[in-house]
Amino acid sequence: MSDTSAAEAPLAGLTVVEISAFIAAPLAGMTLAQLGAEVIRIDPLGGNIDANRWPISDDGTSIYWASLNKGKRSVTLDLRGDEGRCVAVSLIAKAGTVVTNLPARGWLSYERLVADRPDLVMLRLTGSHDGSPEIDYTVNAASGFPIVTGQDERPVNNVVPAWDVIAGLYVANGILSAELVRRASGQGQEITVALSDTMLATVGNLGYIAEVQATGSTRGPLGNGLYGAYGQSFVTSDGRELMVAVISNRHWRSLGEVTGLADKLAMIGPMLDVDLTTEGGRFAARDAIDAVLRPWFAAHTADEAATALSSAGVLNGRFQTFEELVHSDPLCSLENPLFDEIDQPGVGKVLAPRNPLRFGSSPVLPAEPAPQIGEDTTDVLASTLGMSSEDISALGATGVIDS
């Protein structure tokens, strides 16, 4: 990508300081970096609590950290002492925008930082709105979703840290919204968002809260079934499993035609007194529909079934491992313009996604490796704060930065 293209990226010219750990805030910073912002991550000397988090490469490099910090610049400072904190405050003041999910008090409080930058935009991610600590898995336990995941009412945690991901995107949206306000009015502001509130907002936006209030209850566990419509997973003759989803009458007709079971499926409606032309009717008859369809899938390989269903316009997806996704799925390859191949220090050559947004008049920036922790300290202090080599050496001599 040329310098001209980088200058035309949607967030070119925006500088963000990120002081964070784990998933949500780093994901927000990386999202902004992928859109063209300069994102400077500040960590304590040696890295923050997430610096060595699993998975790790053979030489001990955190693949986790590298994956969430692509395209950023890394600065490490002695944040326990006043001099290191003073440098961090100066970097924040110069950038004008800061994101953190760490306790924002003392030197990192909005009141302290805004004194040096009156139009500061600061976004703080907290655990709960009352300031109590939460992480994705504790928030998820309260969400209700683990109780309806699986085959029965024993709770099943989602291995995807969904609330961290959702919160990270809220954080990025919050920064962009505040930046629009600042550009229009010249005013900065402090924004807060709680991880538990992102969970509650999502539960409410998907109708689960209103469902309980309106009906007195909510859906139970369905395994791989699709609530309120027809969907199910089926085992094929080669032991693979396919997910099939029917969300329109066209899909329903096509499913009957491609399997040759239209007549048998049609018999289910009168037998159970349900209308199979409606999603609710198909949901009510799901067990009978499953029973009619399972022998067809058991008589076909996964490739045969998927090809036939796709040709007929029936929505289907093959369950696959991460290894199969990486090694066999063309969507997860350089055939997909989402991906670049990067050489990540300590990890090796890996596929790295760009930002999935596609702008009609702005370039999509290439994926960039994550920095090694602290590798940009000297350069950032010189280029951003204008420090001389003598001043930077003095910081090294006193242990404020790694010498």
Side-chain angles (χ1 to χ4, degrees):
M1 183 68 66
S2 68
D3 292 340
T4 300
S5 296
E8 295 171 350
L11 298 186
L14 176 66
T15 301
V16 179
V17 168
E18 175 195 319
I19 304 177
S20 69
F22 297 118
I23 296 175
L27 177 64
M30 187 180 69
T31 300
L32 298 171
Q34 289 177 329
L35 292 172
E38 178 187 32
V39 178
I40 302 170
R41 173 165 171 157
I42 300 178
D43 283 308
L45 296 179
N48 214 324
I49 191 172
D50 58 342
N52 299 303
R53 200 171 188 214
W54 284 18
I56 56 176
S57 66
D58 292 341
D59 73 352
T61 298
S62 172
I63 300 171
Y64 168 95
W65 194 94
S67 297
L68 283 168
N69 290 285
K70 296 188 295 290
K72 301 177 187 177
R73 306 179 80 188
S74 175
V75 170
T76 52
L77 299 167
D78 177 12
L79 296 175
R80 297 170 300 178
D82 290 340
E83 195 170 5
R85 292 174 177 178
C86 183
V87 174
V89 168
S90 296
L91 285 171
I92 292 168
K94 189 71 173 179
T97 303
V98 61
V99 170
T100 188
N101 62 346
L102 303 183
R105 53 178 178 260
W107 71 273
L108 193 52
S109 69
Y110 178 73
E111 292 73 21
R112 166 65 187 87
L113 297 174
V114 78
D116 286 358
R117 180 69 187 250
D119 67 342
L120 179 73
V121 168
M122 179 175 188
L123 196 149
R124 296 190 296 113
L125 175 66
T126 65
S128 186
H129 75 275
D130 61 6
S132 57
E134 296 278 7
I135 63 170
D136 187 279
Y137 288 100
T138 60
V139 165
N140 189 54
S143 71
F145 285 113
I147 307 300
V148 298
T149 301
Q151 299 288 346
D152 53 42
E153 292 185 352
R154 291 176 295 180
V156 177
N157 266 331
N158 187 354
V159 298
V160 178
W163 310 118
D164 275 337
V165 172
I166 292 170
L169 298 179
Y170 269 115
V171 170
N173 279 331
I175 289 294
L176 297 180
S177 299
E179 181 64 18
L180 287 174
V181 171
R182 180 165 61 181
R183 292 185 179 186
S185 67
Q187 294 182 339
Q189 60 186 302
E190 180 184 30
I191 312 108
T192 59
V193 59
L195 183 66
S196 62
D197 282 348
T198 66
M199 175 274 286
L200 292 166
T202 303
V203 174
N205 293 338
L206 293 177
Y208 287 90
I209 294 174
E211 182 180 8
V212 170
Q213 293 180 312
T215 68
S217 63
T218 190
R219 67 208 75 171
L222 292 173
N224 287 336
L226 177 61
Y227 178 74
Y230 183 71
Q232 189 54 268
S233 62
F234 295 94
V235 179
T236 57
S237 64
D238 52 352
R240 302 300 301 269
E241 203 155 347
L242 292 180
M243 183 69 198
V244 176
V246 173
I247 59 173
S248 72
N249 285 333
R250 181 179 64 82
H251 293 147
W252 175 246
R253 290 191 300 270
S254 297
L255 179 62
E257 292 167 2
V258 73
T259 59
L261 295 169
D263 291 342
K264 289 185 178 180
L265 291 171
M267 294 170 62
I268 294 173
M271 289 173 56
L272 299 182
D273 193 26
V274 297
D275 183 357
L276 294 181
T277 65
T278 67
E279 286 192 322
R282 293 190 287 266
F283 178 73
R286 61 191 181 278
D287 291 337
I289 297 171
D290 290 351
V292 170
L293 291 173
R294 288 199 187 281
W296 184 87
F297 285 91
H300 294 79
T301 67
D303 284 343
E304 291 169 345
T307 298
L309 292 167
S310 296
S311 297
V314 178
L315 299 172
N316 69 95
R318 190 178 323 198
F319 290 93
Q320 60 186 5
T321 64
F322 287 118
E323 291 81 3
E324 290 169 324
L325 172 68
V326 172
H327 296 306
S328 305
D329 193 330
L331 290 177
C332 186
S333 75
L334 292 176
E335 293 180 28
N336 185 344
L338 172 68
F339 288 101
D340 286 323
E341 187 175 66
I342 62 173
D343 191 356
Q344 179 61 52
V347 178
K349 288 187 176 181
V350 294
L351 287 176
R354 308 179 186 194
N355 191 294
L357 292 172
R358 295 291 176 263
F359 294 85
S361 59
S362 298
V364 177
L365 297 180
E368 298 287 349
Q372 292 181 304
I373 294 174
E375 77 167 68
D376 301 302
T377 302
T378 297
D379 182 60
V380 168
L381 296 185
S383 62
T384 303
L385 294 184
M387 286 189 175
S388 67
S389 57
E390 291 79 10
D391 290 338
I392 294 172
S393 295
L395 292 176
T398 57
V400 174
I401 63 173
D402 287 319
S403 57

